[in-house]
Amino acid sequence: MSEPKRSAMRVADSDRENIARVLYEAMGAGRITAGELETRLDAVYAAKTFAEFEPVVADLASGGALALSHPGDGEQGGRRSFAVMSATTRRFDGPLPPRHVTRAFWGSVRLDLRHARIADGSCVIRAVAVMGGVRIVVPEDFALDVRGIGLMGGFGSGRGTGRLRPTPGAPVLRVTGFAWWGSVKVIRKPAEPRRRSHRGRG
């Protein structure tokens, strides 16, 4: 990270998740506290360049942990939801942002998308579960592309997600990320009758 050109490079969302993984593992090993984790994660997700990662992990990881992502991985401007030793439920009613990041650490996040819509053809949700769980409930007309990594955990789609074949041109929900001693699951459920509900704000 000492090369000026590399330090000045803009980071991608996948680069932020690489650093977040280092922090989660450090917390699991007892090297940092829950408060330190939250403070450092705030810095990671606010970072614009690789130079801003250096003070966050200087006492935890070698430069190898700050590897560049592949070109095209880094769509900027995601919205977020998270749970740290707690449970969070978010219900979206209206257009989804193009990209959403959700994190669960020793807790759970449930995203209910049954009354949401994908305005621009596709939406990417990056889900990270560390000793916790993320459950994403989707409507029956979304096409799904679920690709993630389970490390001593599970990442995938639940029962019912393959029983329907959305029509060609259906909006696509892509779910990526990883689960470490936790789980990320995508399930289909019929939409409930509309009622007054909390709107998710990213």
Side-chain angles (χ1 to χ4, degrees), residues 4-200:
K5 289 185 179 180
R6 189 179 182 191
S7 295
M9 288 186 67
R10 302 280 292 194
V11 298
D13 280 346
S14 52
D15 299 317
R16 295 184 182 94
E17 293 300 339
N18 286 340
I19 304 305
R21 187 184 311 195
V22 172
L23 296 177
Y24 284 125
E25 292 179 353
M27 170 66 184
R31 299 170 69 188
I32 59 176
T33 66
E36 289 173 316
L37 172 68
E38 188 169 359
T39 298
R40 295 188 191 208
L41 285 174
D42 285 343
V44 167
Y45 283 99
K48 298 292 192 298
T49 67
F50 276 87
E52 295 172 77
F53 284 159
E54 293 179 359
V56 177
V57 294
D59 58 345
L60 299 176
S62 65
L66 308 183
L68 285 166
S69 63
H70 295 292
D73 284 348
E75 185 179 341
Q76 299 287 330
R79 297 184 178 185
R80 294 177 286 173
S81 57
F82 63 92
V84 178
M85 293 182 283
S86 62
T88 298
T89 296
R90 298 191 63 184
R91 297 177 178 88
F92 290 82
D93 186 359
L96 290 169
R99 189 171 182 88
H100 185 88
V101 177
T102 183
R103 295 175 280 146
F105 177 75
W106 280 10
S108 65
V109 175
R110 185 177 187 269
L111 302 182
D112 188 340
L113 310 184
R114 286 175 290 175
H115 289 299
R117 68 179 188 273
I118 297 174
D120 298 320
S122 67
C123 170
V124 178
I125 294 180
R126 186 164 182 85
V128 177
V130 176
M131 293 180 281
V134 174
R135 176 168 289 205
I136 304 170
V137 184
V138 301
E140 297 181 334
D141 60 342
F142 280 10
L144 295 176
D145 182 6
V146 181
R147 303 182 187 185
I149 300 172
L151 304 172
M152 294 180 286
F155 196 112
S157 52
R159 292 182 179 180
T161 54
R163 73 177 188 274
L164 297 173
R165 294 183 180 276
T167 59
V172 179
L173 179 69
R174 294 185 170 87
V175 181
T176 67
F178 68 92
W180 187 67
W181 281 15
S183 68
V184 174
K185 183 173 287 188
V186 183
I187 63 173
R188 287 193 196 274
K189 282 188 177 181
E192 297 175 339
R194 287 187 177 274
R195 59 186 179 182
R196 294 187 64 180
S197 61
H198 171 72
R199 292 192 178 199

